[in-house]
Amino acid sequence: PPPLSEMKEKNPWHTPATIIITVIFVIAIVALVTVAVLQNKPLPPKYKYGIVLDAGSSHTALYIYEWPAEKDNNTGRVEQTHSCKVKGPGISSYASSPLKAGESLKVCLQEAEQWVPNKRHQETPLYLGATAGMRLLNMENSLASDQVFQAVAATLQKSPFSFQGARILSGQEEGAYGWVTVNYLDDRLTQVCGLETTGALDLGGASTQISFVSSSYDGSESPSNSVSFRLYGNNYNLYTHSFLCYGKDQVLRLALAHLSQSGQSTVEDPCFHPNFTESKNYSVLYDSPCVSDRKPHGAPVAFTHKGTGNFSLCQQVLKNVFNFSHCPYSQCSFNGVFQPDLQGTFGAFSAYYFVMNFLNLTDTAIPLETVKEKLATYCSTPWPQITQQHKDVKLKYLAEYCFSGTYILTLLTEGYNFNSDSYSNIRFIKKIKGSDAGWTLGYMLNLTNMIPAEAPDTPPLPYAGYVSIVTIIALVLVIIFALCLYRFWPRCPKQPQII
Ligand SMILES: Nc1nc2c(ncn2[C@@H]2O[C@H](COP(=O)(O)OP(=O)(O)OP(=O)(O)O)[C@@H](O)[C@H]2O)c(=O)[nH]1
Ligand SMILES: [Ca+2]
């Protein structure tokens, strides 16, 4: 037999060739895995920003949105990072001192400077959109509304952001952008072959919007109520209407105007709690284009607004603010406005949410009849008891929840024709995934071209998936190679046993 040392040398695993090949493989695997891991490590995110000011009738709010810089016209989520409520009333209330409208925005603009990184300030678009309050002021006194816009624009121009203009949104825009926001946040637009969309219900102080897609409606019956979109490769034919003067503050005026037609000095109001009394001025009540033509002649300066707390009577009063007497179309909601059949689910936000949330009635699984009973009980509760129970709530808000809740139910059922079944399709919402429901996000997405008409082309695999698959295939090849090496390498014959 050969000497033992010779036999050792013949072990194929110990030949220089095997050792070199093995070392190269180990290095290759380590290198491959290192590259995959390093490449796959998330880069520090770079964000872009956009700012929208919602100049509503009752107040102005500033919203800051951010999105990953690499993905602006992709499906990369745009998110609200901050919001700031401007102190004081809406800009339309500054008609007689327009400069103050501009001043009022400064605190929130300064706050925005803190939230957007300095190096992004210059490239961050800043928009201001005004809604029903400015629509009404513009109707009433267009010079005053122009002056308010001048003052507001002057302030926004001075900010470090890229000011893109301040304007009044049309009612269609307000409704349509609210719908875009809700469906964008709900991820309903990017689905291939269209998931059913969600309708949008917005209740403001001076106007209210309803927007939804109904398969029975092609837009031809009432073109002024239809908006067509092509988003992510899907076509949408949206029905939308904005009812000016049907926001909750203006409806309160309409209802009080209805109750005070004789110009009496005490106005009994079933929509306010028993024992609630407040002195109000006739000229203040009628100082709005929504009611100005109804001012009773020879009324005293002031009247006492006295609550009686009766839900059914309140519903009767509120039904009277709608006109059902004429409909020039196949079907209408109210005031001769066309409305197709309701379809699908609805997101109801702004005052719909504030009010129903306070009343603990956001759960629409509660039958409509029960909701009415609970509201009836709430309305009949005397005012002193209500104030005792809710010491932390602003008195102005607190006084109006019975009225507002009753208006919401009357608007939904009598106005828009929701019934006890379709009522359960409504979701009362404030935010979706951290962003407020409202028209501002949809407005910004549109103006920054962030929703493409066509679905973006996406690679068949995401980057991480691609790297992982390459690594796995490489590892499998290496294992197969090693197994072959082990199986087919010439081995030395079995050593004879020396006995
Ligand atoms: N209870 C309660 N009411 C609120 C709150 N914020 C606003 N409101 C009231 O709810 C109503 C609607 O508010 P918004 O949705 O801000 O209305 P807006 O945008 O100013 O008005 P529009 O221009 O008509 O859209 C107004 O009567 C507000 O006074 C809140 O936090 N709680
Ligand atoms: Ca609003």
Side-chain angles (χ1 to χ4, degrees):
L4 231 107
S5 60
E6 226 173 88
M7 274 198 332
K8 236 184 194 168
E9 268 163 28
K10 277 197 178 162
N11 183 339
W13 291 101
H14 289 185
T15 63
T18 337
I19 292 171
I20 290 170
I21 291 174
T22 312
V23 167
I24 289 177
F25 263 107
V26 169
I27 293 175
I29 291 171
V30 170
L32 199 66
V33 172
T34 313
V35 167
V37 168
L38 285 182
Q39 278 291 324
N40 214 13
K41 223 165 96 181
L43 296 167
K46 290 199 178 75
Y47 288 106
K48 285 190 177 177
Y49 299 83
I51 303 175
V52 186
L53 283 147
D54 171 356
S57 63
S58 66
H59 78 285
T60 303
L62 177 149
Y63 298 95
I64 303 178
Y65 299 102
E66 73 168 24
W67 59 96
E70 298 85 19
K71 292 191 181 170
D72 27 349
N73 68 352
N74 207 323
T75 50
R77 291 248 77 88
V78 178
E79 283 177 6
Q80 179 183 319
T81 52
H82 185 66
S83 69
C84 175
K85 197 171 171 178
V86 170
K87 269 226 170 80
I91 57 170
S92 54
S93 307
Y94 295 100
S96 51
S97 50
L99 290 181
K100 287 190 185 159
E103 285 289 317
S104 71
L105 309 180
K106 285 186 175 165
V107 176
C108 280
L109 281 170
Q110 276 160 11
E111 214 173 288
E113 287 180 35
Q114 308 296 314
W115 281 83
V116 177
N118 284 343
K119 64 171 187 181
R120 296 280 187 197
H121 282 178
Q122 275 195 355
E123 64 184 65
T124 297
L126 168 67
Y127 306 92
L128 181 140
T131 50
M134 288 301 284
R135 270 177 224 140
L136 291 174
L137 178 61
N138 191 43
M139 282 164 55
E140 204 180 15
N141 183 348
S142 65
L143 182 66
S145 109
D146 290 347
Q147 286 173 341
V148 168
F149 270 118
Q150 270 173 24
V152 158
T155 301
L156 298 179
Q157 208 101 54
K158 283 184 208 132
S159 83
F161 306 113
S162 167
F163 176 49
Q164 303 289 311
R167 55 180 283 267
I168 298 180
L169 265 70
S170 69
Q172 284 101 318
E173 287 180 284
E174 192 180 1
Y177 291 133
W179 180 89
V180 169
T181 300
V182 168
N183 286 281
Y184 176 87
L185 292 173
D186 250 356
D187 243 338
R188 286 174 186 268
L189 301 177
T190 51
Q191 312 292 327
V192 191
C193 316
L195 199 66
E196 205 175 86
T197 53
T198 302
L201 296 164
D202 181 355
L203 177 58
S207 76
T208 190
Q209 289 71 241
I210 176 167
S211 314
F212 60 97
V213 170
S214 174
S215 48
S216 64
Y217 178 59
D218 65 359
S220 57
E221 192 170 352
S222 176
S224 65
N225 290 124
S226 76
V227 181
S228 298
F229 296 112
R230 185 168 174 82
L231 309 170
Y232 299 110
N234 294 318
N235 288 321
Y236 299 97
N237 214 331
L238 181 70
Y239 165 82
T240 182
H241 190 80
S242 174
F243 290 90
L244 189 60
C245 297
Y246 286 80
K248 78 178 186 58
D249 302 335
Q250 293 299 327
V251 168
L252 182 57
R253 289 182 196 254
L254 290 172
L256 272 178
H258 177 81
L259 291 169
S260 65
Q261 270 310 283
S262 53
Q264 64 273 47
S265 55
T266 298
V267 175
E268 296 208 334
D269 189 340
C271 302
F272 283 71
H273 297 278
N275 298 336
F276 172 90
T277 59
E278 198 172 68
S279 176
K280 289 196 168 132
N281 233 315
Y282 266 108
S283 54
V284 174
L285 170 62
Y286 285 90
D287 180 20
S288 152
C290 298
V291 287
S292 51
D293 58 333
R294 305 189 194 182
K295 190 171 179 184
H297 293 290
V301 173
F303 64 94
T304 303
H305 184 206
K306 189 167 176 289
T308 59
N310 185 319
F311 171 76
S312 340
L313 286 180
C314 174
Q315 253 197 325
Q316 287 305 316
V317 171
L318 290 175
K319 258 189 219 175
N320 271 307
V321 304
F322 304 124
N323 187 344
F324 298 111
S325 65
H326 69 294
C327 176
Y329 301 100
S330 59
Q331 50 188 23
C332 287
S333 45
F334 57 95
N335 295 5
V337 172
F338 171 72
Q339 183 183 289
D341 292 338
L342 295 170
Q343 189 179 314
T345 57
F346 284 80
F349 45 89
S350 319
Y352 281 113
Y353 178 83
F354 304 140
V355 173
M356 297 308 262
N357 182 51
F358 173 84
L359 296 168
N360 276 331
L361 294 173
T362 51
D363 178 4
T364 42
I366 306 174
L368 188 56
E369 279 312 307
T370 316
V371 171
K372 288 182 183 171
E373 282 162 19
K374 289 187 179 215
L375 193 53
T377 309
Y378 176 75
C379 286
S380 64
T381 311
W383 178 236
Q385 201 173 320
I386 296 287
T387 52
Q388 269 299 312
Q389 284 165 359
H390 304 279
K391 289 190 172 135
D392 51 339
V393 181
K394 262 196 207 172
L395 281 184
K396 183 190 146 24
Y397 287 157
L398 192 59
E400 292 180 6
Y401 284 121
C402 164
F403 158 80
S404 305
T406 313
Y407 175 53
I408 285 173
L409 293 186
T410 313
L411 175 63
L412 291 174
T413 57
E414 307 288 330
Y416 297 150
N417 299 316
F418 279 91
N419 56 28
S420 33
D421 275 340
S422 50
Y423 177 78
S424 63
N425 295 334
I426 301 172
R427 303 274 169 275
F428 293 101
I429 48 169
K430 179 172 168 57
K431 291 186 177 218
I432 304 173
K433 298 177 190 158
S435 301
D436 278 272
W439 58 264
T440 51
L441 175 56
Y443 187 63
M444 191 199 67
L445 290 172
N446 184 51
L447 291 179
T448 51
N449 293 319
M450 243 172 324
I451 302 189
E454 301 305 327
D457 293 328
T458 45
L461 277 180
Y463 186 71
Y466 155 77
V467 172
S468 318
I469 284 181
V470 167
T471 311
I472 289 169
I473 291 173
L475 284 173
V476 167
L477 285 177
V478 167
I479 291 167
I480 290 173
F481 180 81
L483 285 175
C484 290
L485 211 63
Y486 177 72
R487 174 77 183 75
F488 298 113
W489 199 271
R491 289 155 201 254
C492 25
K494 235 183 175 181
Q495 274 185 40
Q497 297 276 310
I498 303 163
I499 306 170

